[in-house]
C-alpha cells in the first residue's frame, strides 16, 4: 500500500498493477548477500520471461510454470494490453540507522548501453531451472551513477523489464537498468553495514 501511489504516479497509464508476494532483503540478518556483479534481473524479450517468478501471478498457485507463462503471454496478446513493465523499488531499511555509505547501489544509464554488450545468462536458486537474466560487458561509453548517502525515507526506482506492443524485435536499444552493489572506496572503515530491501 505504501508504494502504490508512487507506482501509479510514475506509470499513470498503467491499468493492471501487480505486486510480488515477497521482497528481497539484503544485509545483516537476511538470507541474501549484496549483488556485487553487474546484472539485469530479467531478459530483453517476452520469451525471456518463460521461467521467472514474475510470470507466477497471484491466483496461479498449483499451476505449472509453463501454464503460468502461457497465461501471461495470453494477457500480453490481448487487445487491451499495450505493454508490460517490471519495476524495482530499492531502499535502505531498518535496522539500518544512518545513510548508506558502504556498498551502495550503482545504476547504468540505459541510453549508454549497447545491446551487443549484453550477455544472456541463467540465475539458479530462485526458480526451478534458473531465471533468465543478463550480464554486461564493459564499454567505455557506459555511464554509471549512484545516489550517495541514501536514507530510509528515499527509494530508488528502476525498470528491470519492459515490453511494448508494436516495437519490433530484436531491439536496437536497452530500456532497462543494469545495476550492481559496489564497495565504495570512500566509505569509512567502521561504516554501518547496509540493510536494504527491493
Amino acid at each position: 500500500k505504501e508504494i502504490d501511489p508512487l507506482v501509479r504516479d510514475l506509470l499513470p497509464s498503467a491499468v493492471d498493477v501487480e505486486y510480488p508476494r515477497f521482497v528481497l532483503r539484503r544485509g545483516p540478518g537476511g538470507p541474501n548477500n549484496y549483488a556485487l556483479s553487474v546484472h539485469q534481473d530479467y531478459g530483453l524479450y517476452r520469451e525471456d520471461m518463460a521461467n521467472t517468478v514474475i510470470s507466477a501471478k497471484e491466483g496461479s498457485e498449483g499451476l505449472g510454470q509453463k501454464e503460468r507463462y502461457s497465461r501471461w503471454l495470453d494477457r500480453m496478446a490481448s487487445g487491451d494490453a499495450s505493454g508490460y513493465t517490471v519495476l524495482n523499488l530499492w531502499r535502505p531499511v531498518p535496522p539500518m540507522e544512518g545513510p548508506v555509505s558502504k556498498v551502495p547501489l550503482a545504476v547504468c544509464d540505459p541510453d549508454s548501453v549497447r545491446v551487443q554488450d549484453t550477455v544472456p545468462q541463467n540465475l539458479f536458486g530462485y526458480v526451478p531451472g534458473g531465471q533468465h537474466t543478463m550480464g554486461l560487458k564493459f564499454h567505455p561509453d557506459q555511464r554509471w551513477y549512484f545516489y550517495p548517502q541514501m536514507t530510509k525515507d528515499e527509494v530508488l526506482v528502476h525498470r528491470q523489464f519492459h515490453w511494448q506492443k508494436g516495437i519490433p524485435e530484436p531491439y536496437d536499444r536497452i530500456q532497462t537498468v543494469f545495476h550492481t552493489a559496489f564497495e565504495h572506496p570512500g566509505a569509512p572503515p567502521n561504516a554501518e553495514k547496509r540493510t536494504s530491501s527491493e
Side-chain angles (χ1 to χ4, degrees):
K1 291 184 178 185
E2 177 187 10
I3 63 172
D4 192 66
L6 173 62
V7 170
R8 293 194 180 274
D9 188 48
L10 292 169
L11 302 172
S13 62
V15 176
D16 189 6
V17 177
E18 299 172 13
Y19 297 100
R21 297 185 300 271
F22 67 91
V23 296
L24 289 178
R25 184 181 180 91
R26 299 190 188 274
N32 291 291
N33 296 322
Y34 308 124
L36 293 167
S37 61
V38 175
H39 66 284
Q40 206 286 94
D41 293 272
Y42 304 97
L44 288 177
Y45 306 109
R46 286 181 297 172
E47 60 268 20
D48 296 331
M49 300 299 275
N51 201 33
T52 175
V53 293
I54 295 300
S55 55
K57 185 181 181 213
E58 190 80 41
S60 63
E61 293 84 355
L63 299 178
Q65 183 65 27
K66 286 184 180 178
E67 187 172 359
R68 287 196 301 259
Y69 176 63
S70 178
R71 287 187 178 188
W72 181 81
L73 281 178
D74 289 345
R75 288 178 64 208
M76 296 307 101
S78 69
D80 60 344
S82 61
Y84 184 82
T85 291
V86 176
L87 297 179
N88 184 317
L89 289 86
W90 188 95
R91 73 185 302 179
V93 294
M96 218 176 156
E97 293 179 9
V100 175
S101 58
K102 184 176 186 170
V103 198
L105 186 72
V107 293
C108 189
D109 178 351
D111 288 334
S112 71
V113 174
R114 305 182 317 165
V115 175
Q116 62 265 36
D117 291 332
T118 63
V119 181
Q121 53 195 22
N122 288 317
L123 175 67
F124 294 90
Y126 290 101
V127 293
Q131 177 168 310
H132 191 74
T133 66
M134 292 188 297
L136 183 65
K137 296 176 191 173
F138 171 76
H139 191 277
D141 291 344
Q142 292 164 2
R143 294 186 301 272
W144 286 89
Y145 302 92
F146 82 102
Y147 295 88
Q149 303 294 306
M150 274 188 74
T151 65
K152 293 177 288 190
D153 24 332
E154 296 176 306
V155 61
L156 176 61
V157 181
H158 61 275
R159 184 180 283 165
Q160 293 197 310
F161 179 81
H162 185 72
W163 170 79
Q164 190 171 341
K165 197 175 278 184
I167 305 271
E169 299 176 4
Y171 300 147
D172 59 1
R173 63 182 294 265
I174 298 292
Q175 298 185 63
T176 54
V177 176
F178 281 86
H179 52 284
T180 183
F182 71 100
E183 296 280 356
H184 194 299
N190 61 345
E192 182 180 14
K193 290 185 177 179
R194 186 193 93 199
T195 306
S196 60
S197 179
E198 55 188 284

